[in-house]
Amino acid sequence: DVKVTQSSRYLVKRTGEKVFLECVQDMDHENMFWYRQDPGLGLRLIYFSYDVKMKEKGDIPEGYSVSREKKERFSLILESASTNQTSMYLCASSFGTAGGEAFFGQGTRLTVV
Amino acid sequence: AQSVTQPDIHITVSEGASLELRCNYSYGATPYLFWYVQSPGQGLQLLLKYFSGDTLVQGIKGFEAEFKRSQSSFNLRKPSVHWSDAAEYFCAASGTYKYIFGTGTRLKVLA
């Protein structure tokens, strides 16, 4: 089975902190994604990466950055956390360029106080 | 602009009743289409997917979906709902790397 593992299920951080969300996949997938999920808004793409060291902005990249130094790991960074970044964050990975199935991690519920 | 619309935010059905969740898409060409399910506090699990061919797609947990090109729809159905089906359901479309998700439909099942 494909496994996408997010390092934390729950996180509580203070406003202004630098926050790292880590995601690891074990199926050698080229593509990795970070989504933010909020009630009534569905999943919104923050960033995605189609190869090591490659990244592209999604729909809501402001306030976030990403890092992909190794194929299996994709990190989401909140440079200076704010309360409006309190949300559920979902990592996903997929294979290929033509719409293969995306596999999701369990999610990280981040609360910024 | 590309989009996926799930017009029903909440649906409540009785256990044993049939279910249909609606999904409409707007895309330049026929995209790849997916239905995912999310149980509370969990990630998303794939129920089924449509790439091409037979327009009626069978998935896991007894779900099926029908692709209708003329209506730009990909509705999810189940003949008899179980209490364990209570969850949030997302329709998604993809043409290349990226996926576009609908806003989700939350299903409540009455005993």
Side-chain angles (χ1 to χ4, degrees), chain B residues 5-98:
Chain B
T5 302
Q6 294 179 246
D8 303 306
I9 299 173
H10 297 279
I11 282 186
T12 300
V13 300
S14 298
E15 191 169 19
S18 64
L19 172 70
E20 182 168 30
L21 302 182
R22 296 182 291 165
C23 173
N24 292 94
Y25 65 90
S26 173
Y27 228 85
T30 300
Y32 302 101
L33 295 163
F34 308 83
W35 274 100
Y36 286 86
V37 61
Q38 184 182 36
S39 298
Q42 302 296 313
L44 277 68
Q45 179 186 19
L46 182 72
L47 285 175
L48 48 79
K49 57 189 176 187
Y50 173 77
F51 286 169
S52 65
D54 193 345
T55 57
L56 188 62
V57 181
Q58 301 298 319
I60 62 171
K61 306 186 181 189
F63 285 93
E64 66 179 26
E66 185 172 14
F67 169 67
K68 292 186 178 180
R69 185 190 306 274
S70 61
Q71 299 177 19
S72 296
S73 68
F74 187 56
N75 294 348
L76 182 71
R77 301 195 295 245
K78 187 170 185 179
S80 178
V81 170
H82 188 262
W83 63 267
S84 61
D85 293 324
E88 191 156 21
Y89 292 80
F90 291 93
C91 182
S94 175
T96 54
Y97 301 107
K98 295 196 291 185

Side-chain angles (χ1 to χ4, degrees), chain A residues 9 31 33 35 37 40-43 45 48 50 57 88 90 94 96-107, chain B residues 9 32-34 36 38 40-46 49 51 88 90 94-104 106:
Chain A
R9 292 293 302 274
N31 310 317
F33 308 83
Y35 289 91
Q37 183 181 13
L41 298 178
L43 277 70
L45 181 63
F48 73 101
Y50 53 89
K57 293 180 180 179
M88 169 72 95
L90 292 167
S94 73
T97 60
E101 174 187 351
F103 294 84
F104 283 83
Q106 295 283 76
Chain B
I9 299 173
Y32 302 101
L33 295 163
F34 308 83
Y36 286 86
Q38 184 182 36
Q42 302 296 313
L44 277 68
Q45 179 186 19
L46 182 72
K49 57 189 176 187
F51 286 169
E88 191 156 21
F90 291 93
S94 175
T96 54
Y97 301 107
K98 295 196 291 185
Y99 303 81
I100 299 171
F101 286 85
T103 51
R106 186 169 296 278

Side-chain angles (χ1 to χ4, degrees), chain A residues 7-38:
Chain A
S7 54
S8 304
R9 292 293 302 274
Y10 301 94
L11 274 180
V12 180
K13 295 293 181 180
R14 295 195 179 278
T15 301
E17 275 193 77
K18 190 169 186 177
V19 180
F20 293 86
L21 303 184
E22 307 286 347
C23 176
V24 177
Q25 51 95 2
D26 66 359
M27 280 300 292
D28 204 35
H29 284 170
E30 294 95 340
N31 310 317
M32 296 189 75
F33 308 83
W34 276 107
Y35 289 91
R36 173 175 170 160
Q37 183 181 13
D38 299 289

